[in-house]
Amino acid sequence: MDKNTVLLRDTEAFMRGELDNVTVAQNSIVLDLVQGGYVPYGCYTSAPLPMPLFDALRVSWNAASPDGTAVEAQCRVLVDGNWTQWVGFGKWSPCLHREGVPYQERGPVQRWHDHLQLDSKCATMVQLRIYLYTRDEKASPLVTLLGASTHVVDVIPARGRPVNARMHLMPYAVAHRAPALRPWMDLAIALASLTNRWGADLLPEEFAQVLRDWRTPDDHDPRSLSFAAAAAARWGFPAWVAYADLALLRAEARAGCGAVVTLQSTPAQIAAGAPERHCAALRGFASSLDGEPKVLLCDPYAAAEDFDCEIEMPLDDFMVAWDNVALLMRQRKSSTPPQGRTRCSAWIRPVGTDAPGVYRLYLNGEEHPLPDDFCAQGGILAYSLPDEHPHATTAHRQFSYVEPTQGGIQLEHGDTPRKYTVYAIGTDGRMIVGDVTV
């Protein structure tokens, strides 16, 4: 690991910190168990972590957070021999309407929604803290990773040894995804591109729901890389955010691991509706016939069709557009997410003559009506029909996004029977899916 990035992710590393109503078991931090029930809250505080002189900091955490539980990461830094006050980045759980913290300035410390920056000062040490909460004495959050990465000052970024490496990531276009989640969909697509190459077959909408920052819209970026790393871990993929250089990206590609990077959008992309900065998945490096080095990307704003989003960018152009921050990921060890399955199958049956063309979902034999405001409250309802040819992943199918009708979904009859696949994705990323022939 680079000197500017520290990851705590095993028993030995966690045991160097302070445990307050928490314990370390099987390389994870959990709440203490007292008389058969978990205590309502606890706190883990790391030992002070020496760092090269830095002026910015990003905090990452990976945690399984069942219903009724949450975690909250905090940090402080050592400036001029004094510790700053603790600053937090908001409570996180898939089951919450997660809100990143608003911008706050206190002395030299500027806290943004997903990182900390120092104004005219530098720091030399970091200390991390994470709170665990539960309202259910039978359930506890489980923290598997706590990390910090710093932006080192007065150091020339390393470019590393050139590499020719190409990873087969899954490209997806923003234009084909749920319009309601568009402001942060590029980040969700980049995560899906990385995970689906390892056979996860997740929809970008599932990631978009779990990494969504519900804070009141403001002038700042609606995407949180810290929430994105936590979202990847929700499906078992260890992930963290790091201040990086070209050498690190090349090392990741050489190891067969991609990365999520944030790039300055081109004028053409901005004119087509892209934000000023957007996320893409790095899939490798190559050289053109004349020897010019290229960066290989899956850029969701590069085209309107999925496989046209696989692009090459001259290395010099990439270095100008990139902000030297990357989300890094590793393959998961188990196909079962830490919190168990996040999808369930449903029977889909017609309502009858009272509502022609309306179909409702049934779970375990019981009707599961969708609220009229399911989409208004943040849910996603969609269906797909069989395409002419099979696809590499489910997310490459053509989706139609709709609103609930009388507690179900309106499906049209064709001249011949058609098989519909219906998807209902809640704000916690859980998805109900089922097939019906109409």
Side-chain angles (χ1 to χ4, degrees):
M1 191 57 56
D2 284 355
K3 294 180 180 178
N4 72 315
T5 301
V6 174
L7 300 180
L8 310 178
R9 50 179 172 176
D10 56 40
T11 297
E12 182 180 355
F14 288 139
M15 289 303 294
R16 297 191 186 107
E18 297 179 11
L19 310 177
D20 183 7
N21 285 341
V22 298
T23 189
V24 177
Q26 298 181 338
N27 298 322
S28 305
I29 303 169
V30 296
L31 289 168
D32 278 340
L33 196 61
V34 178
Q35 296 181 347
Y38 289 106
V39 297
Y41 63 90
C43 176
Y44 171 82
T45 305
S46 76
L49 306 172
M51 292 285 196
L53 197 65
F54 66 91
D55 62 2
L57 167 72
R58 288 181 179 268
V59 176
S60 304
W61 63 90
N62 292 176
S65 180
D67 290 352
T69 71
V71 298
E72 181 181 9
Q74 299 181 350
C75 72
R76 64 177 182 174
V77 297
L78 189 69
V79 179
D80 294 337
N82 298 308
W83 287 104
T84 63
Q85 292 188 343
W86 289 99
V87 294
F89 296 94
K91 289 184 179 180
W92 186 89
S93 170
C95 311
L96 289 177
H97 276 199
R98 305 154 297 279
E99 292 189 19
V101 292
Y103 174 80
Q104 183 184 63
E105 188 170 345
R106 181 176 293 168
V109 176
Q110 299 175 345
R111 183 194 63 188
W112 302 78
H113 65 287
D114 67 349
H115 70 281
L116 181 149
Q117 199 160 339
L118 295 173
D119 181 24
S120 70
K121 291 283 187 178
C122 293
T124 55
M125 298 186 80
V126 178
Q127 195 168 21
L128 302 175
R129 186 163 72 181
I130 189 163
Y131 282 95
L132 287 71
Y133 306 100
T134 184
R135 295 197 303 266
D136 181 356
E137 66 175 13
K138 300 302 181 183
S140 169
L142 185 138
V143 178
T144 56
L145 181 149
L146 187 60
S149 185
T150 59
H151 179 262
V152 180
V153 300
D154 298 331
V155 172
I156 299 175
R159 297 180 67 87
R161 180 163 52 91
V163 59
N164 282 321
R166 186 185 302 264
M167 289 163 282
H168 297 287
L169 303 189
M170 297 294 114
Y172 306 105
V174 163
H176 286 179
R177 310 318 313 175
L181 307 179
R182 182 68 56 85
W184 53 93
M185 181 56 74
D186 55 330
L187 179 52
I189 287 175
L191 290 181
S193 294
L194 294 181
T195 60
N196 287 356
R197 69 179 285 247
W198 285 316
D201 199 24
L202 293 164
L203 299 183
E205 284 78 7
E206 293 176 272
F207 276 120
Q209 291 288 43
V210 178
L211 64 81
R212 180 175 185 174
D213 188 341
W214 289 83
R215 73 182 189 276
T216 303
D218 52 28
D219 296 333
H220 305 307
D221 194 336
R223 294 156 297 194
S224 168
L225 288 175
S226 296
F227 283 4
R234 191 235 201 281
W235 278 278
F237 293 91
W240 61 94
V241 185
Y243 286 99
D245 52 23
L246 180 58
L248 179 58
L249 295 186
R250 282 173 162 166
E252 290 291 302
R254 191 174 288 111
C257 301
V260 178
V261 294
T262 304
L263 305 174
Q264 179 69 42
S265 300
T266 65
Q269 289 174 329
I270 293 175
E276 291 187 4
R277 305 194 66 82
H278 69 277
C279 297
L282 185 141
R283 59 187 180 91
F285 295 88
S287 298
S288 60
L289 294 177
D290 60 2
E292 182 185 16
K294 302 278 190 180
V295 180
L296 310 180
L297 300 167
C298 289
D299 186 340
Y301 277 106
E305 298 300 325
D306 288 345
F307 284 94
D308 292 336
C309 292
E310 293 181 320
I311 64 169
E312 298 180 354
M313 179 182 287
L315 178 60
D316 289 342
D317 292 349
F318 173 82
M319 295 304 294
V320 171
W322 180 42
D323 63 358
N324 288 95
V325 176
L327 186 149
L328 308 179
M329 186 186 295
R330 294 294 180 264
Q331 188 171 3
R332 62 186 178 184
K333 297 179 180 179
S334 170
S335 60
T336 302
Q339 292 175 229
R341 301 292 179 183
T342 59
R343 294 179 177 177
C344 63
S345 298
W347 292 94
I348 301 177
R349 295 290 181 264
V351 173
T353 55
D354 293 340
V358 176
Y359 292 74
R360 287 183 181 160
L361 284 64
Y362 288 78
L363 300 178
N364 299 321
E366 296 185 3
E367 189 177 65
H368 182 78
L370 295 173
D372 292 340
D373 61 352
F374 177 74
C375 294
Q377 294 299 318
I380 296 295
L381 182 62
Y383 68 81
S384 65
L385 291 165
D387 292 321
E388 296 179 356
H389 53 82
H391 295 291
T393 66
T394 302
H396 284 116
R397 301 179 72 172
Q398 184 68 43
F399 287 78
S400 297
Y401 299 94
V402 295
E403 299 275 340
T405 301
Q406 298 184 41
I409 183 170
Q410 183 84 38
L411 301 176
E412 296 183 0
H413 289 254
D415 296 333
T416 58
R418 298 185 292 180
K419 180 181 177 181
Y420 285 87
T421 302
V422 176
Y423 313 83
I425 308 172
T427 56
D428 58 0
R430 293 191 176 103
M431 181 166 72
I432 301 173
V433 60
D435 298 324
V436 63
T437 299
V438 176

